[in-house]
Amino acid sequence: MARVVVDVMLKPEILDPQGQAVQRALPRLGFEGISDVRQGKRFELEVDGPLDEAALARIHEMAETFLANTVIEDFVVKVEEAEAVKVES
Amino acid sequence: MTARIGVVTFPGTLDDRDTQRAVRLAGAEAVPLWHRDKDLKQVDAVVLPGGFSYGDYLRAGAISRFSPLMETVIDQAKAGLPVLGICNGFQVLTESHLLPGAMLRNNHLHFICRDQKLRVESDRTAWTADYTAGQEISIPLKNIDGRYVADERTLDMLEAEGRVAFRYLARGEAADGYGNPNGSLRDIAGITNEAGNVVGLMPHPEHAVEPGIGTGRTDGLGFFTSILKKLVNV
């Protein structure tokens, strides 16, 4: 089974008051030096069957019509490697 | 025979009953419509009421927009069926691309609930003919995702084509219901499509239709009498 990640972000020109609120809270918490925060969404899709070109095209279509609203948001589709090394936090 | 006006209920819709009541007060027949049906029950017009359909998951209106009923509404709206979207209904209309632009979180991040002063900018839509352009009205506003955005080209087009249907009255005291309440671009509270049959706005006309209730004013009733007159005259 393959995993595909879709990241959705507000377009750069769109005001993101939630990101701003996070950014403004940082100095108060002792996290200095962050001049801007933009908040987005991450979708992790577990895909049945082979992840061929047709499957990826469908996911792209899904992201464009549903996961993102392209009037205000940009999206990126990424395939995650099955054996990707997981970095422990 | 009077006009039949459909009022759609999605899971999470809140204002369907108030909207049905407003329709009846105007003298039309209110027809409840269910999001999972494809059938519009031969209504003459449709109202998408306010609320939090699908809990606003993903984006406000984003999931409702793909309901079986909306597929029919979108087709019919393109063919001229009058459709009014109020609050969440407006969000469904922008997500459907029946109206341009999008709704985002209020710039101050707070849920806002107050009586809001608006100017009716267009009396040439199916839902505003009983108002006069420039008329100022006060109706309730209650939302957190009410900030209207669109790119500059779209905003210029809306202005040039007279498709900004309602604007927040920006000057004055917030306590008195004046001011842009959410950072909407160009103080836009509502817009219409090119043909004037599809109208969306964030404030709630259906909550201002009876003297002594809510605002105590009936400034919202005109939406429902406008559409009724239009349908009966047809």
Side-chain angles (χ1 to χ4, degrees), chain B residues 155-172:
Chain B
L155 293 169
D156 289 342
M157 175 199 71
L158 289 172
E159 307 252 22
E161 295 179 359
R163 289 170 53 190
V164 176
F166 312 94
R167 238 186 270 266
Y168 300 113
L169 290 178
R171 284 187 201 165

Side-chain angles (χ1 to χ4, degrees), chain B residues 108-207:
Chain B
H108 46 71
L109 299 177
H110 294 284
F111 190 94
I112 191 163
C113 181
R114 72 181 198 197
D115 295 337
Q116 174 68 44
K117 300 268 196 312
L118 309 177
R119 187 168 55 244
V120 180
E121 298 279 16
S122 172
D123 54 10
R124 290 180 302 170
T125 82
W127 300 90
T128 56
D130 265 0
Y131 298 94
T132 49
Q135 187 177 342
E136 296 182 356
I137 62 174
S138 178
I139 59 178
L141 177 77
K142 46 172 188 145
N143 64 62
I144 191 164
D145 288 314
R147 174 167 53 109
Y148 180 77
V149 298
D151 60 37
E152 286 294 310
R153 235 184 63 192
T154 304
L155 293 169
D156 289 342
M157 175 199 71
L158 289 172
E159 307 252 22
E161 295 179 359
R163 289 170 53 190
V164 176
F166 312 94
R167 238 186 270 266
Y168 300 113
L169 290 178
R171 284 187 201 165
E173 290 299 316
D176 299 325
Y178 289 97
N180 181 331
N182 47 33
S184 288
L185 297 178
R186 309 214 187 162
D187 302 326
I188 289 174
I191 55 175
T192 177
N193 68 345
E194 212 174 345
N197 62 309
V198 180
V199 170
L201 80 167
M202 286 314 292
H204 290 262
E206 81 284 12
H207 293 326

Side-chain angles (χ1 to χ4, degrees), chain A residues 3-85:
Chain A
R3 171 177 284 188
V4 175
V5 173
V6 180
D7 285 320
V8 177
M9 292 298 296
L10 282 174
K11 290 184 174 181
E13 67 271 23
I14 302 283
L15 176 73
D16 176 16
Q18 294 180 94
Q20 286 179 341
V22 172
Q23 191 270 335
R24 282 197 300 268
L26 293 176
R28 191 160 43 82
L29 304 175
F31 299 105
E32 306 289 346
I34 307 297
S35 60
D36 190 29
V37 175
R38 309 272 300 167
Q39 181 178 313
K41 295 186 189 121
R42 173 186 164 101
F43 300 88
E44 298 180 344
L45 313 175
E46 303 297 335
V47 184
D48 296 333
L51 193 59
D52 51 19
E53 218 164 280
L56 269 176
R58 286 290 288 165
I59 289 168
H60 195 276
E61 186 188 346
M62 177 205 308
E64 189 165 28
T65 55
F66 187 45
L67 300 183
N69 178 348
T70 54
V71 174
I72 46 170
E73 293 167 327
D74 296 323
F75 66 89
V76 180
V77 177
K78 285 180 289 196
V79 179
E80 283 213 337
E81 296 303 322
E83 299 300 316
V85 181

Side-chain angles (χ1 to χ4, degrees), chain B residues 4-234:
Chain B
R4 289 162 55 81
I5 299 180
V7 179
V8 181
T9 301
F10 300 101
T13 296
L14 299 177
D15 300 324
D16 40 349
R17 296 299 180 93
D18 274 23
T19 305
Q20 289 169 20
R21 188 173 168 76
V23 165
R24 285 194 297 269
L25 280 167
E29 182 188 347
V31 180
L33 297 174
W34 182 236
H35 70 113
R36 283 173 70 176
D37 296 335
K38 274 193 103 73
D39 180 18
L40 289 188
K41 300 183 181 170
Q42 296 178 307
V43 294
D44 306 300
V46 169
V47 184
L48 308 174
F52 295 87
S53 60
Y54 289 93
D56 278 352
Y57 298 160
L58 188 59
R59 297 175 303 277
I63 299 179
S64 320
R65 171 257 176 274
F66 288 100
S67 63
L69 190 91
M70 276 310 296
E71 299 293 343
T72 312
V73 168
I74 291 166
D75 284 348
Q76 300 273 318
K78 286 176 180 166
L81 178 77
V83 179
L84 174 67
I86 303 166
C87 194
N88 190 220
F90 184 19
Q91 294 160 340
V92 173
L93 289 176
T94 57
E95 282 286 340
S96 308
H97 305 300
L98 284 172
L99 293 174
M103 313 304 307
L104 279 168
R105 186 58 48 98
N106 294 341
N107 59 350
H108 46 71
L109 299 177
H110 294 284
F111 190 94
I112 191 163
C113 181
R114 72 181 198 197
D115 295 337
Q116 174 68 44
K117 300 268 196 312
L118 309 177
R119 187 168 55 244
V120 180
E121 298 279 16
S122 172
D123 54 10
R124 290 180 302 170
T125 82
W127 300 90
T128 56
D130 265 0
Y131 298 94
T132 49
Q135 187 177 342
E136 296 182 356
I137 62 174
S138 178
I139 59 178
L141 177 77
K142 46 172 188 145
N143 64 62
I144 191 164
D145 288 314
R147 174 167 53 109
Y148 180 77
V149 298
D151 60 37
E152 286 294 310
R153 235 184 63 192
T154 304
L155 293 169
D156 289 342
M157 175 199 71
L158 289 172
E159 307 252 22
E161 295 179 359
R163 289 170 53 190
V164 176
F166 312 94
R167 238 186 270 266
Y168 300 113
L169 290 178
R171 284 187 201 165
E173 290 299 316
D176 299 325
Y178 289 97
N180 181 331
N182 47 33
S184 288
L185 297 178
R186 309 214 187 162
D187 302 326
I188 289 174
I191 55 175
T192 177
N193 68 345
E194 212 174 345
N197 62 309
V198 180
V199 170
L201 80 167
M202 286 314 292
H204 290 262
E206 81 284 12
H207 293 326
V209 292
E210 285 173 282
I213 294 180
T215 58
R217 301 163 60 137
T218 58
D219 291 6
L221 193 60
F223 284 75
F224 305 96
T225 54
S226 294
I227 190 64
L228 181 60
K229 274 184 201 160
K230 180 183 168 63
L231 294 171
V232 169
N233 287 340
V234 170

